[in-house]
Amino acid sequence: LNTAPLVSKETGRNYSNIQNDYKILSRVVTKMRVNGVIPFAWITDNERDFKRNRGFANVDHYLEFELKRIFDRYKRDLFSTQERYIAIVFEKWTIQSILDNVMMEYPMPVLYCKGGSGIDSRYVLLGDWHRNGRKPITLLFLSDLDPAGYRIQDTFAGSLEKDFYKNPHTLYSLSDADLDNMKNYRIGITPDQVKKHRLVTSYEAKKTDPEYDSYIARFNLKKGEAKAYELESMPPEILESEIFLV
């Protein structure tokens, strides 16, 4: 079942995963927001940050601002007594608000990797791990169900080993035991979730991806028939429930 909306009724062509269709969709969504069809608050652009850089009109204004948020940021570290250090690594910023809801109940570190982890993000994660007792590491991955999404999970531990294994230049050096005890789990999207929730897609896995062959071999698929499922194909309430099942 192809649920992608039509680009053209005349040709019957659906939106596809190409740059020109991204631009068309962006223009359509912009008009829908301007005309009140989609509330502005439903979509955020965190890569174009607006900073007010203003002070306070007076001391009373400042005191009011501080008193409104005093003592409202306390959270008990529910994972401090756990045997393992647990963190979520996620590919898409679009699910940040879903993770925020989950973290309200189960606060844990989350790392946005934007398709791949840079050295800074890995360094920050290991810094938090070091400060919290250097416990055995468990990483939970949320990414698209496609060759690139699986590459994130497959290579993340390897990238930690490459840059931090017995590294004498940092306190966050990983030992043999750290690597042996590290566990990785994929919590979304999985093939089982596709079947369970009857997810649909109009996208094919990219044949040009260097991991395409290993991807179709992993799931015993035929070339040219491998589908790709984006994280957004899972409704927010379902994705949230799947995270809570972990």
Side-chain angles (χ1 to χ4, degrees):
L1 178 64
N2 190 348
T3 60
L6 292 174
V7 174
S8 170
K9 291 182 179 180
E10 288 74 19
T11 64
R13 188 174 75 83
N14 295 89
Y15 281 99
S16 58
N17 191 13
I18 60 175
Q19 191 64 38
N20 189 58
D21 283 3
Y22 290 159
K23 293 178 180 179
I24 296 174
L25 181 60
S26 177
R27 290 196 294 269
V28 171
V29 171
T30 296
K31 290 183 180 297
M32 292 176 73
R33 296 177 79 189
V34 169
N35 289 282
V37 179
I38 298 177
F40 273 90
W42 282 12
I43 302 173
T44 58
D45 184 351
N46 298 93
E47 293 189 356
R48 296 175 175 84
D49 193 19
F50 173 68
K51 297 184 182 297
R52 293 172 178 81
N53 293 321
R54 293 196 182 100
F56 296 88
N58 51 58
V59 174
D60 289 340
H61 186 197
Y62 167 70
L63 291 175
E64 180 183 0
F65 173 79
E66 290 291 347
L67 289 172
K68 279 184 178 179
R69 63 178 187 172
I70 191 170
F71 303 136
D72 70 347
R73 286 171 288 181
Y74 172 77
K75 292 181 181 178
R76 190 171 71 85
D77 186 356
L78 300 178
F79 285 85
S80 61
T81 57
Q82 300 298 308
E83 295 180 354
R84 304 188 65 87
Y85 174 86
I86 304 172
I88 291 179
V89 180
F90 68 105
E91 179 186 8
K92 296 287 193 66
W93 187 259
T94 51
I95 68 167
Q96 176 67 58
S97 60
I98 299 172
L99 289 176
D100 287 343
N101 290 336
V102 175
M103 295 311 114
M104 291 292 289
E105 188 164 349
Y106 297 106
M108 70 179 76
V110 293
L111 171 63
Y112 169 50
C113 64
K114 196 179 181 180
S117 63
I119 185 66
D120 285 345
S121 59
R122 298 197 300 274
Y123 181 79
V124 170
L125 183 143
L126 287 180
D128 186 66
W129 162 76
H130 176 80
R131 289 187 292 274
N132 285 275
R134 300 179 66 95
K135 300 174 183 178
I137 299 172
T138 294
L139 299 173
L140 308 176
F141 289 88
L142 284 165
S143 65
D144 294 341
L145 180 56
D146 61 11
Y150 263 88
R151 183 164 58 246
I152 293 171
Q153 178 182 354
D154 291 343
T155 62
F156 193 92
S159 63
L160 289 177
E161 178 179 359
K162 175 185 175 182
D163 296 315
F164 294 96
Y165 175 58
K166 293 184 178 180
N167 186 335
H169 306 295
T170 175
L171 290 173
Y172 313 151
S173 176
L174 295 168
S175 67
D176 288 312
D178 294 327
L179 294 178
D180 290 341
N181 293 320
M182 187 181 299
K183 295 182 179 180
N184 304 314
Y185 298 100
R186 183 178 184 81
I187 60 176
I189 291 178
T190 67
D192 287 342
Q193 289 170 346
V194 171
K195 296 178 182 177
K196 176 182 176 182
H197 302 294
R198 298 181 180 180
L199 303 182
V200 296
T201 183
S202 60
Y203 298 145
E204 297 286 343
K206 291 182 179 179
K207 300 181 181 66
T208 56
D209 191 289
E211 301 297 326
Y212 178 81
D213 288 339
S214 61
Y215 177 74
I216 62 174
R218 184 194 297 257
F219 300 113
N220 194 27
L221 303 171
K222 294 181 179 179
K223 285 190 175 183
E225 296 181 7
K227 294 290 186 179
Y229 294 83
E230 297 191 346
L231 275 169
E232 296 85 351
S233 69
M234 191 180 295
E237 65 277 6
I238 293 179
L239 178 56
E240 191 171 318
S241 68
E242 288 289 340
I243 299 173
F244 276 122
L245 288 175
V246 176

